[in-house]
Amino acid sequence: QVQLVESGGGTVQVGGSLRLACTATGLTYGSICMGWFRQVPGKEREEVAGYNTRTGLAAINSEGTSTYGDSVKGRFTISKDNAKNTLYLQMSNLEVEDTATYYCAAAVKNSFCGGGYCRSCMLMGSLDVWGQGTLVTVSS
């Protein structure tokens, strides 16, 4: 059984940085679509960044050219440490608007997502394993 556990959230001032971690257990080898999302109560969930465990960065924007959502491009970086089976989200130059609960997710049962459909799967909610979330608060 695959489990994802996020950590690293907290409170930071505008302009500060945080690194979120998503540690996966039970994740098999292969091509798996993973991603970071965020959500603010009362608002729709937002795709933040995508990652394919075999090929690396996964484009998630409509043009298929960017790994990151428009609101975080240039400030956030997604990466993975295969030895630790951990997906990271390095967040820099944080803004008040970045305040949200951040979740990582993986398409485990929907294995087709890892075959080049990561963007579609993230947008359509096809990632089927989710972490519990970690709260990031950016104060002015």
Side-chain angles (χ1 to χ4, degrees):
Q1 182 179 359
V2 176
Q3 289 187 323
L4 304 175
V5 178
E6 300 100 335
S7 61
T11 300
V12 63
Q13 289 191 328
V14 169
S17 300
L18 280 175
R19 188 177 75 161
L20 306 183
C22 171
T23 301
T25 56
L27 204 60
T28 60
Y29 293 103
S31 183
I32 298 173
C33 171
M34 298 185 72
W36 283 100
F37 299 78
R38 66 186 184 184
Q39 189 162 25
V40 176
K43 293 189 176 181
E44 288 190 1
R45 186 175 64 203
E46 179 183 4
E47 298 77 31
V48 175
Y51 195 89
N52 182 297
T53 59
R54 182 175 63 86
T55 63
L57 304 180
I60 64 170
N61 67 331
S62 58
E63 295 83 9
T65 56
S66 176
T67 299
Y68 306 97
D70 289 341
S71 60
V72 306
K73 200 181 308 181
R75 301 186 297 118
F76 289 13
T77 303
I78 189 172
S79 63
K80 190 173 185 289
D81 185 330
N82 289 327
K84 296 181 179 180
N85 222 6
T86 299
L87 186 72
Y88 295 101
L89 184 69
Q90 177 67 47
M91 307 185 295
S92 302
N93 196 19
L94 284 162
E95 303 170 352
V96 172
E97 293 74 21
D98 295 317
T99 296
T101 298
Y102 286 73
Y103 300 89
C104 73
V108 176
K109 292 182 179 178
N110 296 325
S111 57
F112 70 92
C113 295
Y117 299 99
C118 199
R119 172 183 171 269
S120 296
C121 286
M122 289 182 68
L123 292 176
M124 294 173 61
S126 298
L127 276 60
D128 49 272
V129 179
W130 290 78
Q132 83 287 355
T134 186
L135 178 63
V136 172
T137 303
V138 184
S139 61
S140 58

